[in-house]
Amino acid sequence: MLSSESAFRVLARARALEAQGRDVVHLEIGDPDFATSEHVVEAACRALRDGATHYAPPPGIPALREALAQHIGERRGIAVSPEQVVVTPGAKPALFFALLALAEPGVEVLYPDPGFPIYRSVIGFCGAEPVPYPLREELGFSFRLEDVRARITPRTRAIILNSPHNPTGGVIPAANLAALAELCVERDIVAISDEIYEFMDYRGTFASIAAMPGMSPAERTVIVHGFSKTYAMTGWRLGYAVMPTPLAEAMALLMVNSNSCTATATQMAGLAALQGPWEPVQAMLDAFAARRKVLVEGLNSVPGVHCALPGGAFYAFPNVRGTGLSSAELETYLLEEAGVATLTGTGFGEQGEGYLRLSYANSVERLQEALRRMQAACAALLG
Ligand code: PLP
């Protein structure tokens, strides 16, 4: 059975409170609060005026597949051909289709806990067994290889990785990925690597398992990626996957049977985003880096809360055990009593107990307001 995302549940409750006249600071939703760059919007408008109002080929327009193959290949130092790229309406369909192609009854798929809730939901929907592996706060929310190794069985077909990571902001160190790569090759396991936060990597330590020996997308990695976060294009619906050619052909068939194609003008906009200029993206990334500092410093002065500086994405995942409430209780308390919308860590898996997820896709002023409210609310809790 499919399950939902707690971000949409909390957003609905926050909107209901606002409708009653309450002021709520939104730290629940993972949607960059920046407008898509003007040149990208313009490219889509121009494309529409020039007649890009028809179907495109199901796996994507050739110019975009070529540009993506080059973009992904260059950054990782690997060879990628356009035939390995399939363009989809968002990263979510790319993930859904990859799992439809790989996960089936009798198969096990490993996924990170805490992790993006859609992983578990879709693995189970495909009839495969979802097997969580823990991410550990003391490792900057990376994994211990032994934890993964202990969960591998002859039925393990794939492992999902996500770095930089939602919900923790963790970035998996290259050495960890290299060790995991050896294990995947040895045990014949496919890596599904969700790299949607690749550019939200504030220490410059991003590494892809697809660059490790034996793990290229021609061999055994499916890179899931998209434009939503990097280019502030969540509402456009544009994502893609890079994978072995036979799997790309299967994914193209799934596109024929579901969407026919990703919106043609949206793909033209994506091409413009890739071509640049890069400055608007850099300005957004710089703003996120500054907010990260404000939020994490502030969280460390909230009674009962501590938070290490996350390496990437636009989330903080503070440890809130010292407040004496469960994560779900604290989420409710902060929203109802203090007007701060956060997400319980348990919305991301059992290992999320003791944590909250805060998105810093909001202005420094609003983050400071949220911190003031949290400081007062948690001080009141601890009496
Ligand atoms: N993967 C992760 C880890 C995400 O956090 C998200 C969005 O929140 C997605 C995938 C989906 O992105 P898209 O908007 O491209 O479907």
Side-chain angles (χ1 to χ4, degrees):
M1 201 177 67
L2 291 171
S3 51
S4 190
E5 274 188 75
S6 55
F8 291 105
R9 170 181 57 77
V10 174
L11 180 62
R13 178 65 191 144
R15 293 263 184 260
L17 289 172
E18 286 170 330
Q20 293 166 16
R22 294 272 307 276
D23 177 65
V24 178
V25 186
H26 291 273
L27 305 183
E28 76 280 42
I29 208 83
D31 188 348
D33 56 317
F34 292 84
T36 306
S37 296
E38 193 48 45
H39 79 279
V40 175
V41 175
E42 196 42 47
C45 294
R46 203 177 329 111
L48 285 170
R49 280 193 215 98
D50 291 349
T53 55
H54 300 276
Y55 290 125
I61 56 176
L64 183 58
R65 293 175 82 196
E66 276 162 31
L68 287 169
Q70 196 183 352
H71 172 74
I72 288 292
E74 267 175 14
R75 283 265 300 172
R76 291 158 184 74
I78 53 175
V80 177
S81 79
E83 291 70 40
Q84 290 174 257
V85 180
V86 175
V87 180
T88 50
K92 266 185 183 167
L95 180 68
F96 201 101
F97 294 157
L99 286 168
L100 274 180
L102 290 166
E104 59 194 342
V107 156
E108 294 171 5
V109 178
L110 272 64
Y111 71 96
D113 180 3
F116 188 42
I118 300 308
Y119 303 147
R120 184 192 174 90
S121 170
V122 178
I123 297 166
F125 177 75
C126 293
E129 181 68 27
V131 180
Y133 64 91
L135 300 182
R136 296 178 179 275
E137 184 182 8
E138 66 274 19
L139 300 178
F141 292 107
S142 187
F143 57 84
R144 243 180 14 206
L145 191 67
E146 284 320 303
D147 286 333
V148 174
R149 194 195 301 276
R151 286 164 176 77
I152 293 176
T153 76
R155 291 185 299 280
T156 307
R157 179 162 297 167
I159 178 167
I160 299 181
L161 300 168
N162 175 214
S163 176
H165 181 248
N166 176 11
T168 66
V171 179
I172 304 174
N176 236 192
L177 289 175
L180 179 66
E182 280 182 24
L183 194 57
C184 288
V185 172
E186 183 191 311
R187 303 297 296 266
D188 191 20
I189 294 168
V190 174
I192 300 176
S193 183
D194 183 342
E195 301 182 1
I196 195 159
Y197 295 102
E198 170 179 354
F199 289 98
M200 283 144 187
D201 160 39
Y202 307 105
R203 297 180 190 137
T205 58
F206 170 79
S208 170
I209 196 164
M212 307 293 165
M215 294 301 295
S216 74
E219 292 160 302
R220 59 176 64 254
T221 295
V222 180
I223 298 173
V224 171
H225 218 310
F227 290 73
S228 286
K229 316 288 175 175
T230 314
Y231 303 100
M233 292 178 72
T234 51
W236 292 74
R237 309 312 301 136
L238 186 60
Y240 57 97
V242 184
M243 65 215 117
T245 307
L247 196 57
E249 286 165 1
M251 197 177 283
L253 196 56
L254 286 165
M255 279 296 290
V256 173
N257 281 270
S258 56
N259 299 283
S260 289
C261 64
T262 303
T264 309
T266 293
Q267 295 192 57
M268 305 292 281
L271 192 55
L274 283 179
Q275 287 164 345
W278 181 253
E279 284 72 18
V281 177
Q282 193 57 52
M284 179 180 77
L285 298 178
D286 292 346
F288 277 135
R291 292 167 179 189
R292 175 183 71 135
K293 199 162 168 287
V294 169
L295 181 62
V296 172
E297 279 175 11
L299 284 171
N300 282 313
S301 65
V302 174
V305 174
H306 68 86
C307 186
L309 194 67
F314 41 74
Y315 307 112
F317 204 61
N319 184 319
V320 296
R321 291 204 175 94
T323 61
L325 294 187
S326 72
S327 298
E329 285 166 345
L330 190 61
E331 176 202 278
T332 305
Y333 174 68
L334 290 174
L335 180 58
E336 304 291 332
E337 305 300 325
V340 181
T342 64
L343 298 181
T344 168
T346 48
F348 299 89
E350 277 176 22
Q351 299 293 326
E353 181 54 59
Y355 302 90
L356 287 183
R357 190 193 82 169
L358 279 64
S359 157
Y360 45 92
N362 209 333
S363 66
V364 167
E365 294 68 35
R366 292 299 277 168
L367 291 176
Q368 284 166 336
E369 176 59 26
L371 288 165
R372 267 193 296 275
R373 295 182 189 185
M374 287 178 73
Q375 274 151 8
C378 291
L381 266 185
L382 294 172

